[in-house]
């Protein structure tokens, strides 16, 4: 990450120093902060841009800051900092703190995205294609953005923050920032060029240009009004005892349409023995680390290892697979169903914890399929009472729907599918053991199946 600082004339190097003690307390409490469990010991200012002058009633700063943490990389975060004399009651939950010294001494700073006026500033900058400091607000020339849309911040996201404008657009602001081509913009743009209607086409986007490198900071897309989140929809149907297989089949068709459009839009590669060996080695390394972290996995380790060695054996015999660009983090929560019944896929960022280069690598489409199949399992086993038969029906219907569009049923390649599902379930076990121990039985039930080769 570059240490060059882009500043406006009214921004001084003392700004971050005055915010430092407040941000050390506030940042680790945010849902999107990736370094939980380790203290923040300081910050480096990467870029600071004044979007509204701080000497007025309302000021607005756009900051890119690196958070210093012991024994960890210094992640860079995007912050929108509002400045007021005092916060009105409705903005109290957005409070960061009261500044005691420096250029903002005596003022109150807060998370600006909860305030309609700063959120309006961002939309207007996108509409006008503004260039402010190192910030580049870009827009598809063929798309119009009307002014006057009332903003509201979404509260459900974890790794990023989204603002909805008048039920017309949704602006997703990335929080942890890395240089390079971000798939959350790259892939929807590619799909739009292919005419794929399963993914909302980007209307506008926000970049930062620093030392010759580009950083994607946010993407504005049409908002699917009245859409149901796939996870919430599945849980509601489960609670009512309703069959979900028709929706699962439709979702399988939608996934296949996206995969086929991506395969046409972007290059594909062939994975042979050498490439598969690297893939399998990574899976085995994750298994070994997981067994150390969660001893409950130990009795199942030999069976889980066989899921990966079976894939390596096929590759050694000369079997090859096609790899292409995929979603990379597909599950029910990444899908929206419109009131008309149309399924859309969203959030193409991939797994945020993984390096950007890894997230952009071509991979077998079976990885996305496995993620969705695991999601059906999660929904069914989190129900009260658990409904494994519901999951079985959804998994089969999803694969059938996928085959109807792609011409290839994922179940006809059970070794590859088992390896990816097993790898995903191992990740889930470690996550739940660390963060939600009460949920650990959900992936452990799958682990027991996968250790004996039983996918369906």
């Amino acid at each position: 990450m570059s240490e060059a600082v882009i500043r406006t004339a009214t921004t001084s190097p003392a700004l971050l120093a005055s915010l430092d003690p407040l941000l050390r307390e506030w940042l680790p409490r945010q849902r999107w902060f990736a370094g939980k469990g380790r203290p923040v010991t300081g910050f480096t200012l990467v870029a600071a841009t004044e979007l509204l002058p701080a000497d007025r009633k309302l000021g607005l700063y756009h900051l890119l800051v690196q958070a210093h943490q012991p024994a960890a990389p210094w992640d860079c975060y995007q912050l929108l900092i509002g400045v007021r004399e005092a916060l009105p009651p409705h903005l109290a939950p957005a409070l960061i703190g009261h500044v005691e010294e420096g250029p903002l001494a005596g003022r109150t700073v807060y998370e600006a995205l909860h305030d309609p006026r700063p959120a309006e500033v961002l939309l207007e900058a996108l509409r006008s294609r503004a260039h402010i400091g190192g910030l580049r607000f870009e827009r598809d020339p063929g798309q119009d953005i009307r002014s006057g849309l009332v903003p509201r911040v979404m509260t459900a996201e974890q790794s990023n923050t989204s603002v909805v404008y008048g039920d017309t657009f949704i602006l997703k602001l990335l929080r942890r920032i890395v240089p390079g081509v971000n798939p959350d913009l790259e892939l929807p743009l590619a799909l739009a060029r292919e005419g794929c209607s399963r993914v909302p086409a980007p209307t506008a986007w926000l970049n930062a240009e620093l030392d010759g490198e580009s950083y994607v900071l946010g993407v504005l897309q049409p908002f699917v009004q009245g859409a149901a989140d796939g996870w919430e929809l599945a849980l509601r149907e489960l609670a009512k005892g309703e069959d979900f297989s028709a929706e699962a089949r439709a979702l399988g068709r939608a996934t296949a349409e996206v995969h086929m459009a991506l395969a046409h839009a972007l290059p594909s590669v062939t994975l042979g023995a050498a490439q598969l060996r690297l893939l399998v080695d990574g899976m085995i390394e994750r298994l070994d680390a997981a067994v150390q972290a969660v001893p409950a996995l130990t009795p199942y380790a030999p069976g889980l290892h066989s899921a990966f060695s079976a894939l390596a054996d096929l590759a050694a015999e000369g079997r090859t697979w096609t790899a292409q660009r995929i979603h990379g983090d597909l599950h029910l929560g990444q899908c929206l169903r419109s009131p008309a019944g149309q399924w859309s896929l969203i959030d193409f960022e991939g797994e945020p914890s993984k390096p950007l280069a890894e997230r952009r690598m071509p991979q077998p489409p079976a990885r996305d399929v496995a993620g969705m199949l695991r999601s059906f399992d999660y929904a069914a086993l989190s129900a009260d009472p658990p409904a494994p038969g519901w999951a079985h029906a959804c998994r089969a219907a999803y694969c059938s729907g996928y085959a109807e569009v792609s011409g290839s049923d994922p179940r006809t390649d059970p070794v590859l599918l088992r390896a990816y599902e097993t790898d995903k379930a191992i990740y889930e076990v470690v996550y739940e053991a660390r963060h939600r121990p009460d949920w650990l039985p959900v992936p452990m039930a799958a682990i027991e199946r996968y250790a004996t080769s039983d996918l369906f």
Side-chain angles (χ1 to χ4, degrees):
M1 174 65 68
S2 166
E3 293 190 5
V5 179
I6 305 298
R7 293 189 290 268
T8 58
T10 56
T11 307
S12 80
L15 172 65
L16 186 59
S18 67
L19 294 175
D20 185 305
L22 302 177
L23 293 178
R24 290 194 197 202
E25 296 294 325
W26 176 80
L27 191 61
R29 298 198 303 267
Q30 305 315 299
R31 298 177 68 182
W32 39 263
F33 181 67
K36 287 182 169 55
R38 299 185 302 272
V40 175
T41 58
F43 297 95
T44 296
L45 183 63
V46 176
T49 307
E50 192 176 59
L51 297 178
L52 291 175
D55 57 0
R56 298 183 181 176
K57 181 179 179 181
L58 169 62
L60 175 61
Y61 286 102
H62 180 283
L63 302 182
L64 297 179
V65 298
Q66 285 178 313
H68 304 177
Q69 293 188 276
W74 291 2
D75 287 327
C76 182
Y77 292 94
Q78 176 177 202
L79 308 179
L80 276 296
I81 306 294
V83 183
R84 288 177 177 263
E85 293 292 339
L87 286 189
H90 72 277
L91 289 177
L95 175 70
I96 295 175
H98 306 284
V99 183
E100 296 183 356
E101 57 184 32
L104 301 179
R107 308 291 293 278
T108 298
V109 292
Y110 64 102
E111 166 57 85
L113 294 174
H114 291 266
D115 191 345
R117 175 56 186 143
E120 290 169 356
V121 169
L122 295 179
L123 188 67
E124 176 57 27
L126 290 168
R127 189 189 69 78
S128 62
R129 304 173 72 178
H131 288 183
I132 307 171
L135 300 180
R136 299 291 183 265
F137 295 84
E138 307 291 352
R139 174 172 55 83
D140 181 340
Q143 300 284 341
D144 291 325
I145 302 174
R146 65 182 179 88
S147 58
L149 298 173
V150 177
R152 70 178 189 278
V153 69
M154 304 286 283
T155 58
E157 280 196 277
Q158 300 214 13
S159 59
N160 297 292
T161 303
S162 290
V163 181
V164 175
Y165 292 91
D167 291 335
T168 302
F169 297 108
I170 181 167
L171 173 62
K172 177 181 177 181
L173 287 162
L174 307 180
R175 287 302 196 164
R176 188 164 57 158
I177 304 302
V178 295
V181 179
N182 194 301
D184 215 15
L185 176 61
E186 176 195 18
L187 297 187
L189 282 176
L191 289 165
R193 291 192 296 269
E194 291 295 316
C196 180
S197 63
R198 295 295 190 172
V199 177
T203 302
W205 47 94
L206 171 58
N207 293 332
E209 298 293 336
L210 302 172
D211 280 357
E213 290 191 293
S214 180
Y215 300 75
V216 175
L217 305 181
V219 182
L220 184 78
Q221 293 174 286
F223 181 68
V224 185
Q225 187 173 3
D229 170 282
W231 174 257
E232 298 296 335
L233 180 62
L235 292 184
R236 286 202 300 269
E237 296 303 295
L238 263 169
K240 295 187 294 186
E242 296 290 338
D243 178 61
F244 199 68
S245 56
E247 296 294 351
R249 183 183 294 268
L251 190 49
R253 290 196 294 269
T255 305
E257 286 181 26
V258 170
H259 281 170
M260 293 178 70
L262 286 174
H264 190 264
L266 298 166
S268 299
V269 299
T270 298
L271 302 182
Q275 295 88 348
L276 257 294
R277 186 69 255 178
L278 291 174
L279 188 151
V280 169
D281 286 347
M283 292 177 170
I284 292 173
E285 287 174 10
R286 288 189 288 274
L287 169 60
D288 292 342
V291 170
Q292 294 297 315
V294 187
L297 284 170
T298 302
Y300 305 104
L304 299 175
H305 192 285
S306 72
F308 307 139
S309 59
L311 182 59
D313 290 344
L314 281 183
E317 294 168 4
R319 175 74 185 275
T320 61
W321 288 265
T322 298
Q324 61 164 84
R325 298 298 299 280
I326 62 172
H327 183 282
D329 189 25
L330 192 60
H331 53 78
L332 283 164
Q334 307 284 42
C335 306
L336 297 177
R337 183 186 180 277
S338 74
Q342 172 89 349
W343 280 101
S344 300
L345 275 56
I346 60 172
D347 292 338
F348 281 74
E349 186 180 3
E351 294 184 17
S353 62
K354 293 190 174 180
L356 185 61
E358 183 177 339
R359 287 186 266 148
R360 296 187 66 231
M361 288 177 59
Q363 300 177 68
R367 182 182 171 188
D368 276 351
V369 173
M372 187 61 69
L373 298 184
R374 290 294 313 123
S375 198
F376 289 128
D377 261 4
Y378 245 75
L381 294 181
S382 65
D384 187 16
W390 182 94
H392 187 280
C394 288
R395 290 161 59 89
Y398 178 83
C399 290
S400 295
Y402 191 95
E404 289 170 5
V405 171
S406 71
S408 176
D409 192 319
R411 292 170 292 187
T412 62
D413 197 351
V415 174
L416 182 65
L417 193 58
R418 178 192 174 202
Y420 272 114
E421 282 206 62
T422 301
D423 188 47
K424 181 69 171 178
I426 290 167
Y427 164 83
E428 293 163 355
V429 165
V430 175
Y431 179 89
E432 302 300 7
R434 288 176 177 169
H435 302 286
R436 301 187 302 183
D438 290 348
W439 282 67
L440 188 55
V442 174
M444 285 301 297
I447 288 294
E448 185 174 357
R449 293 206 321 271
Y450 300 157
T452 59
S453 305
D454 182 10
L455 282 179
F456 282 82

